[in-house]
Amino acid sequence: MEIFREILLGIIQGITGFLPVSSSGHILLLSKLFNMDAGYTTLFLCLLKVSSLAAILIVMFKDIIKLIIGTYQLILDVFSNIVIFIKKRLRMDRDGYYVLNTNPYKKLVLMLVVSSAVTYVVSTFIKSIAENSNQIPMVIGVCFVISGVILFLTDHLGQGKRTVKNMSAFDAIVIGMAQGLSVMPGISRVVMTFAAAVALGYGRTFAVKYSYMLAIPAILGSSLLSLQDLAGTAVSVSNLANILAGMLFCGVLSCLALKLMLNLSKKGSMIVFSLYGILLGVFVVICDLII
């Protein structure tokens, strides 16, 4: 029955979505195994990612609330500065401008905006390459290996001490570029952003949290674009029930995977995930060569 297929895909997305292994790579390979329609697969993957987004909002609720408050304060400061600028031009006021990064979460919002903007540019630039690669198991396998090797090297880096307090726009740009490259199937978004942050000297817990916070605009943006492109895709009532079942399993397991990664970032090695990615990639490549 198709419902078991959607539930299996939901389970895989839930487990791999926040672990340092590519969820999109797994889903693409399984969709080929099940001979699923490409348009339906894209739509289903998009909806599964919405479940993953809900998991971030649930598990990181306190941080998300502080981000929302920081965003509100930042918007107020920006508009206040615009008013001050106009008054200065009209020689009506000599007050100084508001500093935009006076607290960690206001600065974090700024850095996330910079990273997200860079991600959009990079992912748009290589989008056509990624879409063509989705149909080539060999490329997906090689990307799995690359992602696993990057995680293996990152796992052997020392524990950094930097936090958002000393984060620069350059750092945000580098992390945004790393996330943009993860549009390639088999390249894990978590691995790329986590590796970039750790390589820049940030603590692993902050690196993981920043990666997940950065996933919010990335998932929202990609989901909206995908839904817009697939607006004409037909979904029957039975398919809708199957999709909802897959989303439910995905959401629950995403919460568990997210908590696991947050714990591992404090104390634990990710070598198992790197070896898994490398071995899976080699297996996919060999199968593609043989078949």
Side-chain angles (χ1 to χ4, degrees):
M1 294 177 64
E2 289 187 351
I3 189 169
F4 294 113
R5 181 188 67 185
E6 266 76 348
I7 288 175
L8 175 61
L9 293 175
I11 290 172
I12 296 299
Q13 171 64 31
I15 294 173
T16 61
F18 293 121
L19 296 180
V21 291
S22 172
S23 59
S24 60
H26 283 80
I27 298 297
L28 286 170
L29 290 174
L30 286 173
S31 67
K32 288 185 176 299
L33 182 64
F34 293 137
N35 196 28
M36 294 173 63
D37 176 71
Y40 177 73
T41 300
T42 303
L43 175 63
F44 185 47
L45 179 58
C46 172
L47 294 174
L48 288 181
K49 288 184 176 180
V50 172
S51 290
S52 298
L53 176 60
I56 299 177
L57 300 179
I58 293 171
V59 176
M60 300 181 64
F61 179 75
K62 292 181 180 179
D63 288 303
I64 300 302
I65 291 297
K66 291 178 181 178
L67 270 182
I68 293 173
I69 295 172
T71 302
Y72 170 74
Q73 293 173 336
L74 190 62
I75 292 172
L76 283 182
D77 288 350
V78 169
F79 277 103
S80 297
N81 283 342
I82 292 173
V83 172
I84 292 172
F85 174 78
I86 294 173
K87 286 183 177 181
K88 282 180 177 291
R89 299 297 293 179
L90 297 174
R91 302 182 184 279
M92 296 172 57
D93 200 340
R94 294 186 178 181
D95 290 342
Y97 293 107
Y98 288 93
V99 179
L100 299 182
N101 59 350
T102 51
N103 70 56
Y105 279 91
K106 282 169 65 176
K107 184 175 183 179
L108 185 57
V109 172
L110 281 173
M111 295 298 100
L112 288 171
V113 169
V114 173
S115 292
S116 298
V118 174
T119 293
Y120 175 78
V121 173
V122 174
S123 60
T124 300
F125 185 73
I126 63 174
K127 181 180 179 181
S128 59
I129 300 175
E131 288 177 345
N132 292 331
S133 301
N134 287 345
Q135 308 303 318
I136 309 173
M138 174 74 73
V139 175
I140 299 175
V142 171
C143 287
F144 268 124
V145 173
I146 293 173
S147 188
V149 170
I150 291 174
L151 182 60
F152 181 84
L153 296 174
T154 304
D155 199 53
H156 287 78
L157 293 177
Q159 175 69 272
K161 296 182 179 180
R162 298 181 67 192
T163 63
V164 69
K165 292 182 180 179
N166 43 30
M167 192 175 192
S168 66
F170 172 78
D171 298 336
I173 290 172
V174 171
I175 297 173
M177 290 176 64
Q179 178 171 253
L181 294 173
S182 68
V183 72
M184 291 296 294
I187 297 291
S188 168
R189 189 198 63 80
V190 176
V191 168
M192 297 301 289
T193 52
F194 175 73
V198 171
L200 289 167
Y202 289 93
R204 297 192 173 207
T205 299
F206 173 77
V208 169
K209 283 191 173 184
Y210 190 83
S211 173
Y212 293 147
M213 291 178 186
L214 190 56
I216 297 174
I219 292 174
L220 278 175
S222 63
S223 297
L224 289 174
L225 289 174
S226 296
L227 288 174
Q228 183 179 359
D229 294 339
L230 299 168
T233 302
V235 177
S236 65
V237 175
S238 60
N239 279 346
L240 180 60
N242 298 342
I243 289 173
L244 291 176
M247 291 178 68
L248 176 61
F249 276 86
C250 177
V252 173
L253 290 172
S254 291
C255 289
L256 297 177
L258 183 54
K259 289 183 178 181
L260 174 62
M261 273 298 291
L262 289 172
N263 288 331
L264 283 177
S265 68
K266 297 175 184 176
K267 49 178 181 179
S269 171
M270 299 186 189
I271 191 73
V272 173
F273 300 114
S274 66
L275 293 177
Y276 169 78
I278 293 171
L279 292 174
L280 177 60
V282 170
F283 175 75
V284 172
V285 170
I286 292 174
C287 288
D288 192 49
L289 287 173
I290 295 174
I291 299 174

